[in-house]
Amino acid sequence: MEHEKARTGRVTGRVEWAVLPSAIGPLLLAATDRGLVNVTFHAEGRVRERSLERLAGVLRAELVADGSGRLAEPIRQLAAYFDGELRSFDVKLDWSLVTGFNRQVLRELEDSVPYGTVVGYGELARRVGQPTAAQAVGSAMGANPLPLVVPCHRVVESDGGIGGFGGSVETKRRLLALEGVLPEPLF
């Protein structure tokens, strides 16, 4: 399917996208002139197509396959992360796909939960001044348009459970193992 122009509405910008092979499968990365706007797990076939269609519609943007422009630095940093050489991302982010409470929670997560650590859903809710909003924090994690870079895989259940993850629980386990939080799987 061609993604050179948004399917509906007036085109208001340009989104560059690329698929990056990674240790957890292909990742679709997309960036606007403001920064990285989206990371999608398992970006093959229909998953990639749906993600691109959604971005074109929501952002009313022309989609251009290009990993050498706006995405060059995010691609470099993600490769370094998976190689165990990078512990903190330093890329411009475009927060336009997330608003309100979700944005507040994701910004707190990005700012206060470093590599190799985890936080509980309830604790993250307390940090944003909503101590009874643990389930809403879970919803914010599920709606995170920038996983990995905004590390929702580091949010776990207060009873020690791993919790859910939009990229699959197995992917979450692998990311936490990469960061030294969990042991590497034996098989």
Side-chain angles (χ1 to χ4, degrees):
M1 177 177 283
E2 183 178 318
H3 293 285
E4 295 303 311
K5 293 184 180 175
R7 300 284 183 231
T8 61
R10 194 174 118 256
V11 173
T12 60
R14 172 184 163 121
V15 174
E16 294 177 9
W17 67 274
V19 176
L20 172 68
S22 80
I24 57 170
L27 301 171
L28 171 70
L29 308 178
T32 66
D33 60 348
R34 290 182 283 188
L36 186 67
V37 72
N38 187 248
V39 176
T40 302
F41 291 107
H42 314 295
E44 295 177 303
R46 191 65 190 135
V47 170
R48 182 187 66 241
E49 295 302 321
R50 278 194 306 259
S51 185
L52 290 170
E53 288 170 4
R54 184 181 64 80
L55 286 169
V58 171
L59 297 173
R60 294 188 318 258
E62 174 187 15
L63 297 175
V64 178
D66 182 1
S68 64
R70 298 173 182 163
L71 290 172
E73 187 59 18
I75 287 170
R76 187 194 70 72
Q77 288 190 31
L78 280 162
Y81 169 81
F82 285 113
D83 286 344
E85 299 167 1
L86 183 82
R87 293 177 173 243
S88 178
F89 293 100
D90 183 22
V91 296
K92 287 183 3 179
L93 299 177
D94 178 341
W95 291 93
S96 63
L97 295 178
V98 61
T99 61
F101 178 78
N102 288 1
R103 183 184 289 193
Q104 180 185 10
V105 169
L106 292 171
R107 284 185 174 264
E108 177 65 26
L109 173 65
E110 178 196 24
D111 292 342
S112 70
V113 184
Y115 183 100
T117 65
V118 294
V119 66
Y121 294 96
E123 173 58 25
L124 195 50
R126 281 187 287 286
R127 289 182 187 183
V128 297
Q130 300 290 328
T132 61
Q135 285 185 326
V137 166
S139 294
M141 296 305 104
N144 181 3
L146 296 160
L148 290 176
V149 179
V150 178
C152 53
H153 61 279
R154 297 180 189 151
V155 183
V156 297
E157 295 174 349
S158 60
D159 66 1
I162 195 168
F165 191 63
S168 84
V169 173
E170 180 56 30
T171 298
K172 185 173 187 173
R173 284 184 206 283
R174 291 176 67 194
L175 293 169
L176 292 174
L178 173 72
E179 294 186 12
V181 175
L182 294 176
E184 289 288 339
L186 295 175
F187 308 110

